[in-house]
């Protein structure tokens, strides 16, 4: 497959040795952003081609981002240099019962200010088969929203498969605005990761997701929601994870997958955490990769969940494991419930 994504990549400044941001005098520098993380993970898994579309400032920070992407075999030909700055975010890693904290500093970033007309998506998409975007990008700015719509329309017209990771972030936009916009964008998607904040009204007008357990939904509940999502938006492949938090350093995950009109789930997998950031992006990458390489639904969801779990053991935003490393982990086995 030939994969490409669109989004913002930021500088990540992380405290060292679990220090609080308030007390820290040193930060570890890295780069990350939802779609960029997926492109990096896809490249490391070994797809034929993995690329990233974005806008960066024309300075050494922008050059450093491109160098990072190239070091991970991500094609950067479709990144443009524009006015604006490199967005930043600060990570305070939690420990034991203290949760992690993230502070964003991304106003007026290059991608937020970029004119959508500088991207010729019809030309770009000629070389690719799969396009990925998240619900974060349209939340960044009005320009980024127009850019998202233009890209999804062009990808659909060019015959690419489209995956949408809903990835709602309450720090970026209002829930109702996110619901309206992402429900519109979902019409373009062939695959969807997550279920919120899509609008799924039942017969009485209330959302059918109301009352759904966030951390431990049943297979029957998820099957009902997934069927409704396919009925309303035409999405054929839907997946999500559920998470149990034992502490900031130890969690458990399970995965749900809807494909071919049926829903399956994995058993819970418990693991220790080195770095939680990007776990959902590695799940998305693993899902896209597996759908394009395997036919067995059980193998698909097991592979995707394994990618997410392995990412939690790696510092930084992206999953830098290989296909063989995921397969090695999978030999330990996961139980699938139908």
């Amino acid at each position: 497959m030939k994969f490409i994504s669109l989004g913002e990549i930021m500088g990540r400044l992380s405290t060292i040795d679990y220090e609080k941001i308030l007390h820290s005098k040193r930060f570890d520098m890295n780069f990350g952003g939802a779609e960029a993380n997926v492109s990096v993970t896809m490249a490391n898994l070994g797809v034929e081609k993995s690329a990233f579309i974005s806008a960066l400032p024309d300075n050494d920070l922008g050059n450093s981002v491109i160098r990072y992407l190239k070091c991970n075999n991500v094609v950067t030909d479709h990144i443009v240099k524009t006015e604006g700055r490199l967005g930043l975010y600060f990570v305070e890693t939690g420990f034991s019962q203290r949760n992690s904290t993230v502070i964003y500093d991304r106003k007026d970033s290059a991608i937020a200010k970029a004119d959508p007309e500088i991207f010729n998506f019809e030309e770009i998409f000629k070389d690719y088969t799969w396009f990925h975007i998240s619900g974060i990008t349209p939340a960044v700015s009005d320009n980024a929203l127009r850019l998202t719509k233009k890209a999804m329309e062009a990808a659909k017209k060019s015959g690419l498969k489209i995956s949408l990771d809903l990835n709602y972030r309450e720090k970026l936009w209002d829930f109702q605005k996110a619901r309206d916009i992402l429900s519109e964008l979902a019409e373009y998607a062939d695959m969807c990761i997550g279920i919120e904040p899509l609008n799924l009204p039942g017969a009485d007008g209330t959302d059918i997701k109301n009352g759904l357990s966030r951390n431990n939904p049943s297979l029957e509940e998820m099957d009902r929601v997934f069927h409704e999502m396919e009925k309303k938006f035409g999405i054929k492949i839907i997946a999500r994870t559920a998470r149990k938090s034992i502490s900031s350093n130890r969690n458990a995950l399970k995965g749900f997958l809807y494909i071919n009109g049926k829903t399956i789930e994995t058993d819970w997998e418990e693991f220790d955490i080195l770095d939680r950031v990007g776990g959902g992006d590695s799940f998305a990458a693993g899902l896209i990769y597996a759908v394009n390489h395997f036919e067995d639904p059980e193998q698909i969801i097991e592979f995707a969940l394994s990618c997410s779990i392995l990412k939690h053991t790696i510092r930084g935003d992206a999953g830098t494991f290989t296909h063989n490393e995921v397969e090695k982990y999978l030999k330990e086995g996961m139980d699938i419930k139908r």
Side-chain angles (χ1 to χ4, degrees), residues 137-152:
T137 299
V140 169
S141 69
D142 290 340
N143 270 12
L145 172 58
R146 291 193 293 117
L147 179 63
T148 299
K149 290 181 177 179
K150 181 181 178 182
M152 295 187 82

Side-chain angles (χ1 to χ4, degrees), residues 40-305:
V40 170
T41 304
M42 294 292 282
N44 279 277
L45 286 171
V47 297
E48 180 180 350
K49 191 175 186 180
S50 181
F52 182 56
I53 308 167
S54 192
L56 290 171
D58 189 10
N59 56 33
D60 279 349
L61 285 174
N63 294 335
S64 184
V65 171
I66 290 175
R67 186 173 183 174
Y68 159 74
L69 293 169
K70 285 184 173 180
C71 284
N72 280 284
N73 296 318
V74 174
V75 176
T76 61
D77 297 350
H78 314 298
I79 294 177
V80 298
K81 297 290 186 67
T82 66
E83 294 182 357
R85 54 182 286 254
L86 181 70
L88 301 174
Y89 74 106
F90 297 79
V91 178
E92 175 184 305
T93 304
F95 187 86
S96 188
Q97 303 309 309
R98 176 168 58 85
N99 293 329
S100 296
T101 299
V102 174
I103 298 175
Y104 290 108
D105 177 22
R106 61 202 304 178
K107 186 178 179 181
D108 294 329
S109 66
I111 192 70
K113 299 179 70 173
D115 182 353
E117 299 308 314
I118 64 178
F119 296 95
N120 185 345
F121 288 113
E122 286 74 14
E123 190 65 29
I124 291 171
F125 288 150
K126 286 180 179 179
D127 295 327
Y128 299 93
T129 59
W130 193 288
F131 174 65
H132 177 75
I133 196 161
S134 82
I136 293 176
T137 299
V140 169
S141 69
D142 290 340
N143 270 12
L145 172 58
R146 291 193 293 117
L147 179 63
T148 299
K149 290 181 177 179
K150 181 181 178 182
M152 295 187 82
E153 289 170 358
K156 182 64 72 175
K157 184 178 179 180
S158 298
L160 278 69
K161 295 293 184 182
I162 300 173
S163 51
L164 172 64
D165 186 348
L166 295 173
N167 224 342
Y168 171 65
R169 292 289 186 271
E170 62 181 9
K171 290 183 178 181
L172 295 180
W173 56 353
D174 172 76
F175 182 84
Q176 189 56 52
K177 182 178 180 180
R179 167 166 282 183
D180 293 342
I181 290 173
L182 292 177
S183 294
E184 177 185 347
L185 297 179
E187 302 280 354
Y188 295 96
D190 299 285
M191 173 192 289
C192 188
I193 298 101
I195 61 174
E196 287 291 5
L198 291 185
N199 186 26
L200 291 174
D204 62 356
T206 61
D207 196 284
I208 66 170
K209 301 188 301 299
N210 290 353
L212 184 71
S213 172
R214 178 180 179 183
N215 296 322
N216 193 20
S218 69
L219 181 63
E220 293 74 19
E221 287 176 317
M222 291 314 309
D223 186 63
R224 180 169 59 91
V225 171
F226 290 156
H227 270 95
E228 195 63 29
M229 287 174 66
E230 180 179 13
K231 179 180 176 182
K232 180 169 183 178
F233 301 106
I235 305 168
K236 301 297 184 183
I237 304 172
I238 311 166
R240 63 159 294 189
T241 59
R243 182 184 294 267
K244 289 181 180 178
S245 180
I246 294 93
S247 72
S248 290
N249 310 98
R250 189 164 181 81
N251 283 187
L253 284 177
K254 72 185 302 183
F256 294 90
L257 173 65
Y258 177 82
I259 191 168
N260 299 325
K262 295 180 64 177
T263 301
I264 59 174
E265 66 177 345
T266 70
D267 207 353
W268 288 100
E269 288 287 313
E270 195 170 315
F271 54 92
D272 294 317
I273 299 173
L274 180 66
D275 189 338
R276 174 173 166 170
V277 179
D281 302 324
S282 282
F283 177 79
L287 180 69
I288 297 163
Y289 181 92
V291 163
N292 282 275
H293 289 83
F294 312 131
E295 293 185 1
D296 181 7
E298 295 181 8
Q299 191 175 9
I300 291 170
I301 190 60
E302 284 183 339
F303 191 93
L305 192 68

